[in-house]
Amino acid sequence: QIQLLESGGGTVQAGGLLRLSCAHLGGADHEIYMAWTRQAPGKEQEGVAAFDRDGTTHYADPVKGRFTISQDRAKNILYLQMDSLKPEDTATYYCAADQDPIPWAVVSATGGGYNYWGQGTQVTVSS
């Protein structure tokens, strides 16, 4: 089974940056589709960024132009580069994966749909 482990979270000042990493183990011998989601205090979980078929990427409107999802297949690591962080970005960020692509509409609306999840990493952006 696929195991996911997020890292890179922390506390930063507004305007700062962080790069989250997600090591994925056990699924390197076949195609997997990965995404980042987050859940802020008092809010529903939401999709942040995701890979679709053919490497197509999707981003939630609030993070467009600031966040970049990427992956290093050789090292089995998924990344989320987060620039110009805002207090509203404060949330627990989760790495997710599935053997099949999850429609962005589902990810965007629910922040879910994936079969495999990491434990989450906390990102706190102070004003």
Side-chain angles (χ1 to χ4, degrees):
Q1 300 297 307
I2 297 174
Q3 182 178 1
L4 307 174
L5 179 62
E6 304 98 331
S7 62
T11 300
V12 298
Q13 293 288 107
L17 60 89
L18 286 171
R19 187 178 73 165
L20 305 184
S21 299
C22 174
H24 48 101
L25 307 174
D29 59 346
H30 63 272
E31 185 75 19
I32 58 172
Y33 298 89
M34 304 192 71
W36 290 98
T37 70
R38 68 185 182 185
Q39 186 167 24
K43 293 190 175 183
E44 298 289 327
Q45 188 157 346
E46 63 177 344
V48 175
F51 277 105
D52 207 331
R53 297 182 186 275
D54 301 318
T56 300
T57 55
H58 303 280
Y59 293 93
D61 286 343
V63 310
K64 287 181 178 178
R66 299 189 296 119
F67 290 11
T68 304
I69 187 172
S70 63
Q71 62 183 336
D72 185 334
R73 290 192 172 189
K75 296 183 178 181
N76 297 329
I77 301 176
L78 177 75
Y79 298 102
L80 183 67
Q81 179 67 45
M82 305 186 295
D83 299 323
S84 302
L85 283 162
K86 303 176 180 180
E88 51 263 45
D89 293 318
T90 295
T92 300
Y93 285 72
Y94 298 91
C95 174
D98 204 288
Q99 297 94 330
D100 296 297
I102 308 302
W104 175 245
V106 174
V107 182
S108 178
T110 70
Y114 291 86
N115 283 327
Y116 304 98
W117 295 87
Q119 294 296 307
T121 186
Q122 180 67 38
V123 171
T124 302
V125 184
S126 63
S127 60

